[in-house]
């Protein structure tokens, strides 16, 4: 039996969109395909228990995008082609325009852009591989570096610019004062990560500063007691990976930014909301978060602790 829209309000929206398409002559040889896209979207919302178009937000839109790129074709084998996905998103954009023009919604919900990326996605570590790095860390600096890049999801530049005062041990909070495009954000720190950072600050970092500039504010300092460069931080991570003697891990060519991708992926795997992940990583656009977390989520399962 063919599925049909059940909700009266959605039936009205469908009919209004049909008129919208007809008046603007959006046919281009596609017949009822425009209406079919909107009908599928509205029926998907009904299946999710969403019966008011005003309740649709960016997170729900991302979920629908996730559904589109994984759903099988209605005819033939395989999933939707890149061209079909782009058409669906184009039509949904028209649908939103119609909703705005008819005052059904006050603000447009987000529609992701789609492009078929040919390059390999940035490498992501499994939880087991992250745990291996922690286990093989040879000092508190190495453990603290992992804790900031993976545990707090910081960019390499953010780690480089981090000062000791930016970590509030009593509150369990880290402040990124100079993120991408100069944005500031606060990052919550778990108890285990907080303990690693505290030990580094009070023990290893304190010892490194003996006989040197005691006023140095940088979190990571080199042997001269000065702020450590981003290149040096990446070199430390490379050495940490080599000391695991794990061939597969070494071949992945992991950088600090890969650890940032990894925590986003693991948060998504554990059903963290995409908006939480966006704030945690300091992204301006939710689409960037989708590429970091949700798209990578399809690659392979991870092993839990």
């Amino acid at each position: 039996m063919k599925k049909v829209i059940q909700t009266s309000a959605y039936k009205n929206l469908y009919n209004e969109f049909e008129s919208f398409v007809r008046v603007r002559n959006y046919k281009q040889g596609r017949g009822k395909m425009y209406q079919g896209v909107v009908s599928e979207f509205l029926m998907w919302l009904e299946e999710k228990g969403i019966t008011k178009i005003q309740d649709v937000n960016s997170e729900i839109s991302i979920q629908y995008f996730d559904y589109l790129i994984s759903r099988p074709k209605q005819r033939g084998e395989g999933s939707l082609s890149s061209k079909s996905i782009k058409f669906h998103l184009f039509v949904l954009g028209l649908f939103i325009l119609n909703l705005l023009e008819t005052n059904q919604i006050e603000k447009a919900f987000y529609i992701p852009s789609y492009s078929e990326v040919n390059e390999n996605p940035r490498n992501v570590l499994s939880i087991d591989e992250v745990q291996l790095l922690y286990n093989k860390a040879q000092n508190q600096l190495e453990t603290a570096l992992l804790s900031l890049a993976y545990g707090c999801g910081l960019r390499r530049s953010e780690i480089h610019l981090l000062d000791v005062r930016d970590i509030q041990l009593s509150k369990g909070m880290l402040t990124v004062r100079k993120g991408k495009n100069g944005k500031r954000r606060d990052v919550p720190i778990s108890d285990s990560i907080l303990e690693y950072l505290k030990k580094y600050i009070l023990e290893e970092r304190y010892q490194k500063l003996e006989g040197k500039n005691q006023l140095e504010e940088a979190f990571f300092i080199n042997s001269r007691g000065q702020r450590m460069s981003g290149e040096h931080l990446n070199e430390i991570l490379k050495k940490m990976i080599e000391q695991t003697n794990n061939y597969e891990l070494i071949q992945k060519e992991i950088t600090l930014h890969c650890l940032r991708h990894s925590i986003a992926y693991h948060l998504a795997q554990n059903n963290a909301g995409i908006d939480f992940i966006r704030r945690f990583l300091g992204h301006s656009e939710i689409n960037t978060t989708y590429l970091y977390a949700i798209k990578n989520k399809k690659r392979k399962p991870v092993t839990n602790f």
Side-chain angles (χ1 to χ4, degrees):
M1 183 176 177
K2 185 178 179 180
K3 291 173 60 178
V4 294
I5 299 171
Q6 301 294 324
T7 310
S8 296
Y10 282 176
K11 289 179 181 178
N12 292 335
L13 293 181
Y14 174 85
N15 291 332
E16 289 175 1
F17 182 72
E18 192 171 36
S19 299
F20 175 86
V21 170
R22 186 170 58 252
V23 169
R24 286 161 177 76
N25 199 28
Y26 279 120
K27 289 185 179 180
Q28 303 175 351
R30 292 180 181 266
K32 289 271 187 178
M33 290 180 67
Y34 283 78
Q35 294 92 318
V37 167
V38 170
S39 177
E40 180 177 357
F41 176 60
L42 294 174
M43 287 189 289
W44 180 87
L45 290 176
E46 288 178 332
E47 290 177 359
K48 295 291 182 181
I50 303 166
T51 55
K52 294 181 180 179
I53 199 66
Q54 296 81 5
D55 292 338
V56 179
N57 55 29
S58 298
E59 186 172 354
I60 292 170
S61 177
I62 289 288
Q63 290 175 18
Y64 185 68
F65 182 37
D66 207 23
Y67 155 80
L68 272 183
I69 64 177
S70 60
R71 87 151 170 85
K73 294 179 180 177
Q74 294 176 342
R75 296 184 181 86
E77 298 179 351
S79 57
L80 290 178
S81 66
S82 173
K83 185 177 180 180
S84 294
I85 294 172
K86 288 179 181 178
F87 176 69
H88 274 256
L89 298 177
F90 168 71
V91 174
L92 289 178
L94 293 179
F95 181 53
I96 291 175
L97 178 61
N98 180 233
L99 293 173
L100 290 169
E101 288 184 354
T102 56
N103 297 315
Q104 298 289 346
I105 57 175
E106 295 182 359
K107 183 180 179 182
F109 50 87
Y110 177 76
I111 297 293
S113 58
Y114 178 79
S115 61
E116 201 166 29
V117 181
N118 294 320
E119 64 268 18
N120 292 327
R122 193 183 294 271
N123 288 329
V124 172
L125 297 182
S126 70
I127 290 180
D128 284 343
E129 288 171 330
V130 173
Q131 189 64 64
L132 177 62
L133 283 174
Y134 270 105
N135 292 341
K136 296 293 184 178
Q138 295 183 352
N139 51 54
Q140 292 169 352
L141 185 151
E142 292 181 355
T143 304
L145 181 58
L146 281 177
S147 298
L148 292 174
Y150 174 78
C152 298
L154 300 194
R155 300 176 176 92
R156 188 184 81 168
S157 60
E158 293 169 348
I159 299 173
H160 162 66
L161 293 172
L162 191 71
D163 290 337
V164 174
R165 65 189 174 97
D166 296 330
I167 298 177
Q168 302 170 57
L169 296 174
S170 60
K171 295 181 179 179
M173 192 67 68
L174 180 153
T175 300
V176 176
R177 300 181 187 277
K178 299 177 182 178
K180 194 171 183 179
N181 299 321
K183 288 183 62 178
R184 173 194 169 110
R185 74 179 185 279
D186 292 321
V187 180
I189 309 174
S190 69
D191 290 342
S192 57
I193 296 298
L194 191 64
E195 191 62 28
Y196 291 138
L197 299 180
K198 183 178 180 180
K199 282 186 176 181
Y200 166 73
I201 293 172
L202 299 180
E203 298 176 17
E204 193 167 310
R205 184 184 180 278
Y206 176 79
Q207 292 172 3
K208 278 191 172 185
L209 278 178
E210 285 187 336
K212 300 182 178 68
N213 180 14
Q214 297 291 323
L215 298 178
E216 177 59 60
E217 296 183 345
F219 184 82
F220 284 120
I221 54 176
N222 57 29
S223 58
R224 299 186 299 277
Q226 300 171 343
R227 186 180 300 273
M228 197 175 289
S229 69
E231 290 80 7
H232 192 174
L233 292 168
N234 251 337
E235 288 172 5
I236 292 173
L237 176 62
K238 183 178 179 181
K239 180 177 75 70
M240 293 173 64
I241 291 171
E242 290 174 349
Q243 66 199 23
T244 67
N245 293 319
N246 184 300
Y247 178 77
E248 290 185 3
L249 181 55
I250 293 171
Q251 291 301 305
K252 282 189 173 184
E253 298 182 357
I254 297 298
T255 65
L256 288 170
H257 210 75
C258 296
L259 295 179
R260 178 173 157 86
H261 277 253
S262 299
I263 187 61
Y265 170 47
H266 296 156
L267 286 171
Q269 195 72 18
N270 284 283
N271 299 315
I274 193 165
D275 199 49
F276 169 82
I277 301 174
R278 180 184 67 81
R279 294 193 304 271
F280 180 78
L281 296 176
H283 286 156
S284 298
E285 300 293 338
I286 201 168
N287 200 37
T288 308
T289 309
Y290 179 86
L291 292 173
Y292 265 61
I294 309 303
K295 191 173 181 181
N296 276 338
K297 188 177 175 182
K298 300 178 183 302
R299 297 176 61 201
K300 60 181 181 179
V302 295
T303 305
N304 291 325
F305 282 121

